[in-house]
Amino acid sequence: MIDKYRNSDELIQFARGNISANICDVSAAITNMGSSMRLFLKHFDNFKINNADLHSRLQVLIDSCEYINAADLCHSVKGLAGMLALNDLYTHLIELELALKNAAASGAATGAATDASGSETAASGVSAEALYDGLDRIRNDMQEVCKIQF
């Protein structure tokens, strides 16, 4: 894999033609890794291996109303996603982390109430639907990230 590209410029050229910068901005990621293509590729592969099941881990925590633990997981992965310039994933992790913190602060762990429109809503205004929509976005982002082969 690493030997496939002689230098960072070749990898960046490949990425520009094959990978949306919203999914992974390879140029920015390599810069974040001290301009080391090898370091980027190593961390990118490790990220995919360690987080391919991110959606499932988050879903278990959300289903169990463990909003603080789910927010902590989002926070941890968010830092890695930022360093690897996984831009959509990074943005969606920020959004879900905030929603989870709001749900936890509102005492939503005890369950959701039903608002006037019939939607389940936590006391803070965070709907269960919003949490699961965020979870779906993260699942889709991780699927796109895991498709990338260098």
Side-chain angles (χ1 to χ4, degrees):
M1 164 188 65
I2 291 174
D3 297 330
K4 184 175 179 180
Y5 305 99
R6 289 178 289 173
N7 56 50
S8 295
D9 290 336
E10 285 186 10
L11 177 60
I12 291 167
Q13 276 305 114
F14 167 80
R16 284 190 180 138
N18 295 286
I19 304 166
S20 166
N22 291 339
I23 297 170
C24 182
D25 184 339
V26 173
S27 180
I30 289 172
T31 299
N32 292 344
M33 299 287 160
S35 298
S36 171
M37 176 183 69
R38 289 183 184 278
L39 191 59
F40 162 70
L41 290 171
K42 173 186 165 193
H43 285 292
F44 182 81
D45 284 343
N46 286 338
F47 182 86
K48 289 193 322 181
I49 291 166
N50 294 328
N51 293 293
D53 66 342
L54 177 62
H55 168 267
S56 299
R57 290 185 287 152
L58 284 168
Q59 184 158 6
V60 166
L61 293 169
I62 292 169
D63 289 347
S64 303
C65 298
E66 294 182 47
Y67 301 126
I68 293 295
N69 290 334
D72 289 346
L73 179 56
C74 285
H75 184 81
S76 297
V77 176
K78 174 184 72 177
L80 298 168
M83 279 296 282
L84 292 168
L86 305 173
N87 297 321
D88 283 349
L89 179 61
Y90 178 78
T91 299
H92 295 142
L93 285 165
I94 289 171
E95 292 168 356
L96 184 57
E97 179 185 9
L98 180 60
L100 288 162
K101 286 180 178 180
N102 287 338
S106 72
T110 60
T114 302
D115 68 14
S117 68
S119 298
E120 287 186 3
T121 308
S124 68
V126 177
S127 70
E129 182 179 350
L131 294 179
Y132 287 103
D133 285 348
L135 193 57
D136 284 343
R137 285 190 292 276
I138 288 168
R139 183 193 67 231
N140 293 337
D141 294 338
M142 281 305 304
Q143 286 174 344
E144 291 300 315
V145 167
C146 288
K147 288 179 190 176
I148 298 171
Q149 299 294 319
F150 293 112

